[in-house]
Amino acid sequence: MANLLLQDPFGVLKEYPEKLTHTLEVPVAAVCVKFSPRGDYLAVGCSNGAIIIYDMDSLKPIAMLGTHSGAHTRSVQSVCWSNDGRYLWSSGRDWYAKLWDMTQPTKCFQQYKFDGPLWSCHVVRWNVCIVTVVEEPTAYVLTLTDRQNAFHCFPLLEQDQDISGHGYTLVACPHPTIESIIITGTSKGWINAFQLDLESGFEDKIRCCYEEKIANANIKQIIISPSGTRIAINGSDRTIRQYQLIVEDNESEGGSSHSVSIELEHKYQDIINRLQWNTIFFSNHSGEYLVASAHGSSAHDLYLWETSSGSLVRVLEGADEELLDIDWNFYSMRIASNGFESGWVYMWSIVIPPKWSALAPDFEEVEENIDYQEKENEFDIMDDDNNLQAMTEAEEIAIDLCTPEKYDVRGNDISMPSFVIPIDYEGVIIQQHWAHQEQ
Amino acid sequence: MCDLDSVSDLTLTLRMLQFDKQVLPASGKISTSCQISPDGELIAICQNTDMLVYEISSSKMMKLTTTHKECINCLCWSPDSKCIASGSEDFTVEITHIIYGRIRRLMGHTAPVISICYNNKGNILCSSSMDESIKEWHVLSGTALKTMSAHSDAVVSIDIPKFDSSILSSGSYDGLIRIFDTESGHCLKTLTYDKDWIAEDGVVPISTVKFSRNGKFLLVKSLDNVVKLWEYTRGTVVRTFLWPHQETKAKLKYNCGLELIYPQGKDPLVISGNDSGSMCVWNVYSKNLVQKIDEKHRNSPLISISASYDKVATLSLNGECNLFRVH
């Protein structure tokens, strides 16, 4: 936003946050964290089923979901925002997937009960979500076609496809730029790519466009870079495999069909300690960096690799415990991660030191002393006429007071206004009442 | 700039602002601020320590009392049009919900509060004071988040762009206009008319700052009754609006109101008042004076102008409040 325009450009354009700046002491142990698309809120899913929304301007909670009705009754496994920041999906160990409308955070908007605890949910559109369920061979597509209607749920599987040797589907990842493509991973190391027909949404239109066994281990997580060109797969064999992701669009009769292929680029392993990786996350655009949290009580940091060379470039320090989930927002350039023992949320940001010259318009900060050389016309007394002319010229340029900026300094799209969660005045009144009675 | 007298007949037909109705007659009570709600439905006017809320569609008036000990200096609507924040001479700020009543009382300033504004989410309120500081308050908890002290005189006006709460502008009697980062509290930029401090009788105090709708420009009024539009990222003045037939050195005692209006499908307008109750309306792009309104608020200084959609409310120091419509 506009503050970035006025700050030191070298500071603003740093590619990753470096310093632990904030710790949110969440009252209930946090299990999963997710920034709203524009980075102005953070949703924290907790071990007791609570979902707390933190405001990132004040770093204080602004809403708790389901305080009137419909909250999860067991640990929240994952949360995911819709693109406009108005809806939030959540999946819990209480067998429910829930959809929340932030215009009314106190009530659950819609929910759906599965036959077992849920692993994760991934938003494709605000009303379409991919859910993975414990001990189910496939992932499920959950759609809300009509606002009045209940959910429509069907397995993510091509008709008559044989997946008997694949094990259980544990994770899913929608393609960030082609929303009809979903990639899933199973407990026996299989990677599947499916193509959905989002317009009709019927089960029989699902097509499997890729399937391969890449490891002899559980697939723990799949991530795709925001540009859709890189994919990384975290397996329980202590290895992160990074691939180039190639999606080809084959125009054919009856619409386009995609073919998916992957090419191995790097493998990341901790050779000395043989640690597993809890969570991985790509940086913006083509995913030039990959950040990961390590499993086990000995590792307290986030590791950041450069993906083109595969070399470790940074260790994000500051948390004194094992870290679990990771989310990286590219608008606010913050990384959030939750601690295993305390259940708090740690945030790393870019710190830009204050510019003292900003306080006095005529001063300029210099790195070292400069030998002063007077310029030829520096102290010439300017003609009033000349001055006036320069001023008049400045006042003739075309200006526009209405059209907002489309992109921020970092190249993020800001053309859509971000959704604002309404203020809970009733909550403030109750608080006031308590404070009054204590007096 | 076109001379008004020669086009006075023309301006009648090109009139931009049309008088709609009188909201409140002159009362003699101290009224320093009128604000139209962001949804354009209500007008809030302060009167001593009370607030009057006027519903435009029904012409009904409602009175809201506060617990301020002294007069209210400034009002500000929350972005959802549900609360009014008031800054007072008694150093405090109060937030009053129009249905639930008082929600918060914010104490911390050590001098009268002169200007307040909300961020776009409505969860943070900023206030500026004669104590030379700007404070950020968390509305839900009622706590002060940070204090920004970078001025050397009363900070009389602050503003935050409607769709971008990352920055805050401030205008002070020390003659400086500063832009702050609302997240870190650091000063990011300073704008001033008089870089070399060469004016004989000291600096020109700033009276009002106001961001353009897209947040790229800053409209500034100073107590010499000159209005300037700054492109603040580059630090240059891109438009100057001078009061017609004004002697070179006018000195206003009050801020006399300043507002930007965005008529649909037309160029934006600047409206500014003076201490004899007159208002001038300029086209922002061409700098042409398009209207001068003298017949309302006669002989009482204009003190507040507020616009929302096609409605403009004006208030003079004697308590008279009028509603205009933009055509």
Side-chain angles (χ1 to χ4, degrees), chain A residues 123-326:
Chain A
V123 171
V124 179
R125 289 183 183 171
W126 82 266
N127 59 348
V128 181
C129 186
I130 310 296
V131 178
T132 55
V133 185
V134 171
E135 296 191 354
E136 289 282 352
T138 67
Y140 286 90
V141 183
L142 209 49
T143 63
L144 194 70
T145 39
D146 192 308
R147 276 173 161 269
Q148 309 325 327
N149 275 0
F151 280 121
H152 179 52
C153 180
F154 53 91
L156 184 64
L157 187 70
E158 187 175 313
Q159 253 186 340
D160 309 323
Q161 188 186 357
D162 180 24
I163 51 156
S164 49
H166 287 199
Y168 304 124
T169 296
L170 304 178
V171 292
C173 181
H175 194 284
T177 55
I178 309 162
E179 59 175 2
S180 57
I181 292 200
I182 319 289
I183 295 174
T184 63
T186 74
S187 60
K188 290 193 174 165
W190 283 83
I191 297 294
N192 289 294
F194 297 96
Q195 190 181 349
L196 272 174
D197 187 344
L198 285 163
E199 304 317 319
S200 65
F202 295 122
E203 298 96 289
D204 54 355
K205 290 263 184 75
I206 298 171
R207 211 174 57 81
C208 178
C209 41
Y210 178 81
E211 54 179 336
E212 194 183 328
K213 190 180 172 82
I214 62 148
N216 260 322
N218 286 333
I219 305 292
K220 290 173 72 177
Q221 198 192 357
I222 302 172
I223 54 166
I224 304 176
S225 67
S227 63
T229 51
R230 269 203 180 102
I231 180 167
I233 297 164
N234 182 16
S236 63
D237 57 355
R238 298 148 210 277
T239 310
I240 302 166
R241 293 171 174 81
Q242 177 194 314
Y243 303 86
Q244 206 184 336
L245 177 64
I246 302 145
V247 180
E248 273 164 14
D249 195 353
N250 311 314
E251 290 289 333
S252 63
E253 294 157 48
S256 70
S257 70
H258 297 285
S259 69
V260 174
S261 59
I262 58 175
E263 266 173 42
L264 188 68
E265 286 184 331
H266 286 292
K267 283 185 181 181
Y268 303 92
Q269 273 174 313
D270 181 357
I271 296 157
I272 300 154
N273 299 318
R274 303 281 296 153
L275 295 176
Q276 273 203 40
W277 306 101
N278 283 334
T279 311
I280 54 175
F281 210 92
F282 269 128
S283 71
N284 206 358
H285 308 302
S286 59
E288 266 131 54
Y289 299 93
L290 179 78
V291 63
S293 58
H295 176 75
S297 53
S298 61
H300 297 163
D301 308 312
L302 296 180
Y303 298 85
L304 192 103
W305 294 276
E306 196 175 36
T307 52
S308 56
S309 64
S311 54
L312 184 74
V313 290
R314 187 96 196 174
V315 176
L316 299 179
E317 299 169 326
D320 286 329
E321 58 183 315
E322 181 186 344
L323 297 165
L324 299 174
D325 198 10
I326 300 175

Side-chain angles (χ1 to χ4, degrees), chain B residues 278-295:
Chain B
S278 301
M279 287 180 279
C280 280
V281 184
W282 293 273
N283 179 316
V284 176
Y285 296 160
S286 68
K287 294 199 285 180
N288 286 340
L289 182 69
V290 292
Q291 193 178 357
K292 188 160 184 271
I293 304 163
D294 298 316
E295 67 271 27

Side-chain angles (χ1 to χ4, degrees), chain A residues 1-7 22 38 40-41 55-58 60-63 334 349 352-355 357-362 391-392 394-405 417-418 420-426 428-429 431-432, chain B residues 78 80 82-83 97 100 102-104 119-124 138-141 143 145 150 163-164 166-167 178-179 181 183 186-190 192 195-196 212-214 216-217 229 231-234 237-240 260 262 268 284-285 287:
Chain A
M1 305 292 263
N3 60 341
L4 302 178
L5 281 170
L6 299 169
Q7 284 166 338
H22 308 286
R38 292 285 283 275
D40 39 11
Y41 300 107
D55 170 53
M56 287 294 104
D57 291 331
S58 57
K60 289 182 160 71
I62 194 159
R334 273 191 180 138
S349 322
I352 299 169
K355 239 176 19 195
S357 59
L359 290 162
D362 270 4
M391 275 170 67
T392 342
E395 301 214 353
E396 274 164 7
I397 56 160
I399 52 171
D400 180 355
L401 267 62
C402 300
T403 318
E405 207 66 64
S418 57
V420 175
I421 296 176
I423 306 278
D424 176 22
Y425 294 112
E426 285 82 355
V428 181
I429 301 274
Q431 243 186 67
Q432 279 253 306
Chain B
S78 61
D80 56 12
K82 286 181 177 154
C83 289
H97 192 283
Y100 301 135
R102 195 186 79 185
I103 284 187
R104 286 284 170 219
N119 73 343
N120 69 330
K121 289 180 187 166
N123 65 338
I124 293 175
H138 185 234
V139 173
L140 288 174
S141 66
T143 52
L145 293 173
F163 299 110
D164 175 10
S166 68
I167 53 170
R178 295 200 197 268
I179 314 270
D181 186 320
E183 193 193 316
H186 297 152
C187 175
L188 296 175
K189 182 108 188 167
T190 302
T192 176
K195 275 189 184 161
D196 302 323
S212 65
R213 182 188 278 174
N214 61 7
K216 289 182 183 175
F217 297 90
L229 186 71
E231 192 176 343
Y232 60 86
T233 47
R234 295 200 297 150
V237 175
V238 290
R239 294 290 186 273
T240 307
L260 276 164
Y262 303 90
V284 176
Y285 296 160
K287 294 199 285 180

